[in-house]
Amino acid sequence: LQRLKRGLGRSSTKLSEGIVGIFTKRRLDDETLDELEELLIQADMGITIADEVTTRLRKTRFGQEVTPEEIRAALAEVIVELIDPIAKPLKIDAKLKPHVVLVVGVNGSGKTTTIGKFAKSYRDAGLKVHLAAGDTFRAAAVEQLKIWAERTGCPITTRPTGADAAGLALDAYNAAKAEGADLLLIDTAGRLQNRTDLMAELQKIVRVLKKGDPAAPHSVLLVLDATVGQNAHAQAETFRDMVGVTGIVMTKLDGTARGGVLVSLAERYGIPVHAIGVGETAEDLRPFEATAFARSLVG
Ligand code: GDP
């Protein structure tokens, strides 16, 4: 919890200082409620949440003096109600051998790092994990995943730069199956500047993987960088429409004041959030827990 609190420090500072600024020695009235609504929108929570919080406060506390703590508690309550239903760890189906997870997202969002972190945590939990370096466009991405493979002791399937990612994914599937792996984590390229090519590539990976297992990929994980703020919505829509998304990991919640975007994403799409990244090391992938997140976010 301490690590999560530290990670979300900038988001929570912005919110809590804003709340103190609005409500110190002032009543809850039209003016302060408007200011609160504006603060929540600025903090990337989205209009629906901002509206819900202010409507509730208006009903119960209008005209009264309220402390910043009471406002924070009310805000945390609304956030928990909203995110609790979508806070779900990534469940690996032990019968699949391997459970195939396709990891998608724009370049730089943290896909490779997140795969490394997941590999570590599932390995530590006793699962056999296989990695696939499917971002065949960037040599650096392959090298980075190789380092994680070494660090975590997981076998990895690679191909030279520019090779067909779909073929690589199927190779990786076959290798994972032969090893009796529980989990196959497939990295992908994220060149959003060329949407048509990216869509064709992701769809081809899905199509070719089905030669291995008609139900694969069993999970499609979208990695979103919190620092992009509301842009995360556009990314979520793009990838949902391209390949479908079964779960989200939001990275870089440390060092950004835009952590509220996770709340507006939850409200808008209702896609499960499996974990959050609050730093670059393996320990910095945290389970996404509604109460802990809400408390850390509101300060
Ligand atoms: P990819 O292009 O989507 O595979 O992104 P990478 O995994 O290469 O990550 C891009 C950069 O973000 C790297 O420098 C990572 O170390 C960094 N990164 C990833 N996740 C986090 C996080 O949760 N917090 C912070 N601070 N940095 C992160």
Side-chain angles (χ1 to χ4, degrees):
L1 193 63
Q2 277 313 315
R3 200 183 271 267
L4 179 63
K5 276 215 165 115
R6 221 178 309 126
L8 287 171
R10 284 181 60 183
S11 297
S12 66
T13 303
K14 176 172 174 170
L15 272 169
S16 62
E17 282 178 358
I19 290 171
V20 169
I22 297 170
F23 287 99
T24 300
K25 302 223 174 90
R26 286 170 72 192
R27 285 174 193 286
L28 194 114
D29 57 17
D30 285 329
E31 201 184 11
T32 47
L33 280 173
D34 275 354
E35 287 175 32
L36 178 63
E37 188 161 17
E38 184 57 30
L39 174 72
L40 298 180
I41 293 167
Q42 295 264 317
D44 292 287
M45 299 272 180
I47 291 166
T48 314
I49 284 101
D51 205 46
E52 176 69 27
V53 174
T54 47
T55 302
R56 274 195 208 185
L57 287 167
R58 182 183 290 279
K59 267 194 203 139
T60 54
R61 306 299 301 272
F62 197 81
Q64 299 174 23
E65 276 197 26
V66 287
T67 63
E69 288 67 38
E70 288 172 302
I71 300 291
R72 289 209 293 266
L75 175 57
E77 191 181 283
V78 174
I79 293 175
V80 168
E81 278 172 29
L82 202 96
I83 62 180
D84 195 52
I86 54 119
K88 294 179 190 151
L90 175 63
K91 279 247 169 66
I92 304 306
D93 186 341
K95 293 190 296 289
L96 292 171
K97 287 200 176 287
H99 183 126
V100 180
V101 180
L102 188 66
V103 181
V104 301
V106 307
N107 278 342
S109 60
K111 286 183 300 295
T112 310
T113 311
T114 300
I115 289 173
K117 291 169 174 177
F118 268 128
K120 166 95 169 70
S121 92
Y122 285 109
R123 274 276 292 169
D124 287 353
L127 267 62
K128 275 179 123 174
V129 183
H130 192 102
L131 306 180
D135 184 354
T136 51
F137 273 85
R138 295 188 309 138
V142 177
E143 286 313 310
Q144 200 188 332
L145 199 64
K146 273 188 186 164
I147 293 171
W148 278 106
E150 269 168 40
R151 208 182 276 166
T152 56
C154 296
I156 181 169
T157 299
T158 63
R159 275 191 184 184
T161 312
D164 175 38
L168 173 134
L170 187 59
D171 282 356
Y173 177 86
N174 288 328
K177 185 148 190 82
E179 286 159 8
D182 300 289
L183 173 62
L184 169 62
L185 293 166
I186 305 174
D187 200 2
T188 61
R191 300 155 296 132
L192 210 53
Q193 17 348 327
N194 197 334
R195 233 166 244 253
T196 324
D197 283 359
L198 179 59
M199 177 144 88
E201 176 168 307
L202 290 175
Q203 290 173 346
K204 186 174 172 194
I205 293 174
V206 169
R207 208 165 54 237
V208 173
L209 270 174
K210 290 190 186 304
K211 292 183 186 168
D213 178 346
H218 307 99
S219 306
V220 179
L221 209 68
L222 172 63
V223 177
L224 292 171
D225 171 349
T227 63
V228 305
Q230 291 303 305
N231 233 319
H233 286 259
Q235 292 179 16
E237 255 161 57
T238 300
F239 283 96
R240 182 195 59 186
D241 297 346
M242 278 184 189
V243 276
V245 172
T246 61
I248 289 173
V249 173
M250 181 158 272
T251 63
K252 307 188 199 178
L253 278 163
D254 54 307
T256 175
R258 318 200 70 168
V261 70
L262 191 45
V263 180
S264 62
L265 275 174
E267 191 268 318
R268 182 101 147 253
Y269 303 103
I271 301 171
V273 175
H274 296 314
I276 54 176
V278 292
E280 294 179 278
T281 74
E283 289 70 38
D284 294 324
L285 187 72
R286 317 294 304 167
F288 182 58
E289 289 160 352
T291 309
F293 182 83
R295 291 255 166 82
S296 304
L297 184 62
V298 303

